[in-house]
């Protein structure tokens, strides 16, 4: 922390750039049905042209986990990556009162669905995919399987949420009230992941600085990562959250 205050800690060699195009729509409908109030809340989000350039390994090495570099390598190998995200949510609420309006209550349901396609998770080190270890005036070049693309992946996600909730507030008088509520939620998550590695070998032995610099921009032969070229999994969780609140308010 002391070094950070003097700007002596490296986080990013270059500035963090994050680009995306987002489209959002929200719609709320509210109407009366007899003594009840019904509300509908709808949300939709679409994101595309997602790209980021980051260098967050806290070293002068450029660049660890740089998405743009990975996309360039994959597309050069005919593997299209077009990350997109879609999110949709719908909620219905029912509000009412009973016992001469001493009890106010709300019940409702909520559901959402999120899909993320072709999300790249890169692991290239440097913009050439090679890492050079200085040995005197020469460089020992580590192969991409150790220093670069071994853990590169393209992932798809599907996340679904279901919720049922209810809450009621009973007013004993002008000062005291008690609120009792509960929320039951279910989360479902799915993942599909394609894993890749580089088949391009590193130059043998030691190379000069000029030879190492000439590796910049190398296009690698990207192949599926064995023995786990593809991962698929899913899981779900459920939870009930109750709450009880006793409140006192003054006339002020």
């Amino acid at each position: 922390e002391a070094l950070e205050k003097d700007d002596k800690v490296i986080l990013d060699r270059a500035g963090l750039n994050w680009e995306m195009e987002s489209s959002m729509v929200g719609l709320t409908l509210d109407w009366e049905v007899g003594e009840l109030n019904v509300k509908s809340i709808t949300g939709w989000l679409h994101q595309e042209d997602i790209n980021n350039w980051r260098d967050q390994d806290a070293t002068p090495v450029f660049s660890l986990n740089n998405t743009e570099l990975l996309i360039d390598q994959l597309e050069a190998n005919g593997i299209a990556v077009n990350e997109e995200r879609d999110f949709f949510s719908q909620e219905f609420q029912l509000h009412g009162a009973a016992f001469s309006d001493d009890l106010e209550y709300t019940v409702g349901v909520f559901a959402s669905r999120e899909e993320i396609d072709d999300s790249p998770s890169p692991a290239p080190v440097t913009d050439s995919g090679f890492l050079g270890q200085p040995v005197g005036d020469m460089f020992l070049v580590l192969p991409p399987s150790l220093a670069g693309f071994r853990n590169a992946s393209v992932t798809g996600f599907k996340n679904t949420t279901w919720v049922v909730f209810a809450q009621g507030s009973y007013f004993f008088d002008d000062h005291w009230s008690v609120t009792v509520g509960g929320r039951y939620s279910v989360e479902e998550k799915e993942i599909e992941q394609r894993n890749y590695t580089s088949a391009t070998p590193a130059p043998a032995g030691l190379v000069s600085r000029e030879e190492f610099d000439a590796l910049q921009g190398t296009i690698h032969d990207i192949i599926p990562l064995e023995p786990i070229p593809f991962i698929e999994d899913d899981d779900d969780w459920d939870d009930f959250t109750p709450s009880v609140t006793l409140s006192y308010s003054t006339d002020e």
Side-chain angles (χ1 to χ4, degrees):
E1 292 179 358
L3 291 174
E4 187 274 333
K5 294 176 182 178
D6 294 329
D7 296 326
K8 293 181 179 179
V9 175
I10 296 174
L11 176 61
D12 300 305
R13 178 177 175 181
L16 171 62
N17 295 320
W18 190 289
E19 298 176 353
M20 72 174 65
E21 182 176 322
S22 297
S23 302
M24 294 176 285
V25 175
L27 176 65
T28 299
L29 301 176
D30 197 341
W31 64 94
E32 300 291 335
V33 180
E35 299 295 324
L36 301 176
N37 175 265
V38 180
K39 179 179 289 187
S40 169
I41 305 172
T42 306
W44 175 81
L45 167 68
H46 176 74
Q47 294 176 326
E48 60 184 358
D49 296 330
I50 302 172
N51 197 11
N52 66 82
W53 182 280
R54 63 185 186 267
D55 181 30
Q56 297 176 308
D57 57 344
T59 75
V61 176
F62 188 77
S63 157
L64 182 68
N65 287 336
N66 195 300
T67 304
E68 187 171 312
L69 296 181
L70 174 64
I71 292 176
D72 291 343
Q73 293 286 344
L74 292 174
E75 291 184 343
N77 282 264
I79 304 170
V81 179
N82 182 24
E83 183 177 4
E84 292 188 357
R85 176 178 180 240
D86 287 287
F87 178 84
F88 176 81
S89 66
Q90 177 62 53
E91 180 174 344
F92 291 104
Q93 298 178 5
L94 179 67
H95 304 273
F99 303 112
S100 302
D101 294 337
D102 288 338
L103 174 66
E104 297 179 357
Y105 62 87
T106 299
V107 296
V109 294
F110 171 86
S112 69
R113 175 74 168 182
E114 178 185 42
E115 295 189 10
I116 303 175
D117 299 321
D118 291 339
S119 177
S121 179
V125 176
T126 79
D127 51 0
S128 67
F130 299 101
L131 186 63
Q133 176 65 40
V135 179
D137 295 332
M138 305 293 283
F139 281 82
L140 176 63
V141 183
L142 299 178
S145 59
L146 293 178
F149 295 90
R150 179 171 179 79
N151 295 316
S153 62
V154 179
T155 308
F157 303 91
K158 294 180 180 179
N159 304 315
T160 305
T161 301
W162 305 91
V163 178
V164 178
F165 58 91
Q167 178 174 291
S169 296
Y170 186 82
F171 297 86
F172 298 101
D173 51 35
D174 293 337
H175 301 287
W176 289 96
S177 66
V178 62
T179 301
V180 179
R183 173 188 174 99
Y184 178 73
S185 59
V186 177
E187 300 276 349
E188 301 173 352
K189 295 184 181 294
E190 303 174 47
I191 181 174
E192 294 182 351
Q193 180 172 297
R194 293 171 282 151
N195 302 311
Y196 297 98
T197 188
S198 171
T200 299
L206 298 175
V207 300
S208 66
R209 177 58 185 261
E210 290 74 18
E211 291 173 312
F212 179 71
D213 289 343
L215 295 172
Q216 181 174 345
T218 299
I219 298 300
H220 294 255
D221 295 325
I222 304 298
I223 60 174
L225 176 64
E226 297 295 344
I228 47 172
F230 181 76
I231 298 174
E232 184 177 17
D233 202 0
D234 63 84
D235 207 346
D236 60 80
W237 304 263
D238 65 282
D239 187 46
F240 174 70
T241 306
S243 67
V244 178
T245 304
L246 181 64
S247 301
Y248 176 80
S249 62
T250 64
D251 294 332
E252 297 179 0

